Amino acid sequence: MSRHEHWQIAPATPITLHMHEVHVWRASLEQPEAVFWKLQATLSADEFERASCFQFEQHRRRFVVARGVLRDILGRYLGVAANVITFEYETHGKPKLAKAKHPENFCFNLSHAKELALCAITRGHALGVDVEHIHPISDAEQIARRFFSEREAGQFCALPQEQKQIAFFNCWTRKEAFIKALGEGLSHPLDRFEVAFLPGELAALLQTRPDPQEAERWSMFAFEPAADYAGALVVAGKNFALQYWQWQGYGFD
Ligand SMILES: CC(C)(COP(=O)(O)OP(=O)(O)OC[C@H]1O[C@@H](n2cnc3c(N)ncnc32)[C@H](O)[C@@H]1OP(=O)(O)O)[C@@H](O)C(=O)NCCC(=O)NCCS
C-alpha cells in the first residue's frame, strides 16, 4: 500500500477532470453544526426519507454529510448547485447521475466508514471505491475462510499474527471496491475473484472467474486515506493518473 499520497486542499473554484484521470476525495463525516445544516439543505426528498430511517442519530448525521459532500463535489465538476443534482439507481442500488439531466458522462462512487467518506470520480469509466476503519477482528480467519477465495484465505491464515489486521482490511477493501465497480454489491460472490493483498504487494486484481480476461479490464489501487483506515479503488480500463483531494466546506461554514 502506498503511504505517500498527497491529499491536496481542493480549491473553491470548479475542478477539471481529464479523460485518464481519477480524482479521489476524502471528507470527514464529523462536521460542525453549521456545515451539517447547509449540507442537509442540499439533499433531495428521497434522501431525507432515507436519512429519517436511521435508528441512531450519529448514523443519520453521517449519511447526511456523506450525501451532502458527494453533491457538493459533483457540483464542482458539473458547474451546478449541489441541490439540483439528480441521481438514479442501478438494480443493486449503485447511484449514478441521471443521464437525462446530466449528460456529461461523469462516473462516481462513494464509500463511508466511521468518520470518513471517500468519493472517486472519472469521466466515463465505471469505478468502485471502498474505505474501512482498521480495527481488531476476533474472527478474521473464519471470515476469510467464508468469503475470500481458497488461495486468499490460505495466504491470510498463514500470515504472522501481527500482520493479519492490516492484511484483512487490505483484502476486504480491494474486494469490495471491485464488486462496487461492477455495481453488483455483495450479490457478486467474493470468492469468484482474487486480489493481491499481502504486505509489500501492489494492489491488483489477479484472477476472475468464469472469465479470466475480466481481470485485465480493470485497474486496482490502494491507499491510506487516514491513519487506521484502508482505502481501495477499482476502475474500468488502464493507465490512470490519480489525484487526491481533501474536501473543505468552502461556502458551508
Ligand atoms: C454496495 C455494498 C457492497 C456497500 O457496502 P458497504 O461497505 O457497507 O458500504 P460503503 O460505504 O462502501 O458503500 C456504500 C455506498 O456505496 C454506494 N452503493 C450502494 N449500492 C451500491 C452498489 N450496488 N454498487 C456500488 N456502489 C453502491 C452508495 O453510494 C452507498 O452510500 P449511501 O448508502 O450513503 O448512498 C453493499 O451495500 C451491497 O452489497 N449492496 C447491494 C444491495 C442490493 O443488492 N440492493 C438491491 C436493492 S436496492
Side-chain angles (χ1 to χ4, degrees):
M1 175 185 295
S2 160
R3 288 173 190 272
H4 305 294
E5 60 271 2
H6 172 58
W7 298 80
Q8 294 178 66
I9 305 286
T13 49
I15 292 171
T16 308
L17 178 64
H18 298 288
M19 274 311 286
H20 271 266
E21 277 182 352
V22 187
H23 288 186
V24 183
W25 290 74
R26 71 173 181 191
S28 168
L29 294 177
E30 298 299 315
Q31 293 291 336
E33 205 57 21
V35 178
F36 171 81
W37 287 106
K38 287 187 178 166
L39 289 171
Q40 180 168 258
T42 67
L43 267 50
S44 62
D46 64 302
E47 288 168 332
F48 259 100
E49 173 85 25
R50 263 194 73 192
S52 68
C53 295
F54 285 93
Q55 196 184 347
F56 297 106
E57 177 62 8
Q58 189 185 49
H59 296 168
R60 189 183 78 77
R61 288 179 71 94
R62 287 177 175 174
F63 168 79
V64 167
V65 172
R67 278 294 171 128
V69 167
L70 172 66
R71 287 175 164 276
D72 177 63
I73 291 171
L74 293 171
R76 295 181 193 210
Y77 293 90
L78 294 164
V80 299
N83 65 340
V84 305
I85 290 170
T86 308
F87 296 119
E88 53 194 26
Y89 295 87
E90 296 178 1
T91 319
H92 294 285
K94 184 174 185 175
K96 58 183 183 181
L97 288 162
K99 194 108 197 125
K101 203 163 162 204
H102 310 291
E104 296 89 345
N105 206 21
F106 285 111
C107 297
F108 70 89
N109 196 231
L110 173 73
S111 181
H112 36 92
K114 215 169 174 227
E115 292 174 11
L116 199 73
L118 285 185
C119 167
I121 177 159
T122 67
R123 275 187 181 273
H125 298 274
L127 79 170
V129 69
D130 192 55
V131 63
E132 298 290 341
H133 178 246
I134 298 171
H135 62 278
I137 298 196
S138 55
D139 53 351
E141 288 198 4
Q142 279 152 276
I143 298 174
R145 285 209 185 85
R146 179 156 173 219
F147 292 106
F148 295 0
S149 74
E150 210 175 311
R151 187 168 71 171
E152 288 167 340
Q155 288 177 326
F156 175 74
C157 293
L159 282 173
Q161 198 57 35
E162 68 277 10
Q163 293 185 349
K164 279 199 168 124
Q165 186 167 290
I166 289 184
F168 178 85
F169 286 102
N170 284 345
C171 190
W172 189 263
T173 49
R174 292 168 201 189
K175 291 178 86 64
E176 284 245 334
F178 181 53
I179 59 173
K180 292 185 74 187
L182 294 171
E184 293 175 13
L186 291 167
S187 67
H188 188 96
L190 288 171
D191 61 358
R192 211 186 272 171
F193 61 97
E194 284 171 11
V195 301
F197 69 98
L198 293 174
E201 267 189 324
L202 273 185
L205 182 59
L206 298 176
Q207 265 198 37
T208 44
R209 290 180 287 274
D211 176 9
Q213 311 273 294
E214 173 85 19
E216 286 155 36
R217 292 195 276 271
W218 300 88
S219 301
M220 180 176 278
F221 305 90
F223 41 86
E224 188 184 70
D228 297 327
Y229 286 86
L233 170 74
V234 171
V235 192
K238 293 285 172 187
N239 302 320
F240 293 103
L242 264 62
Q243 198 161 359
Y244 298 95
W245 296 106
Q246 166 75 46
W247 186 83
Q248 301 283 99
Y250 291 117
F252 283 89
D253 43 9

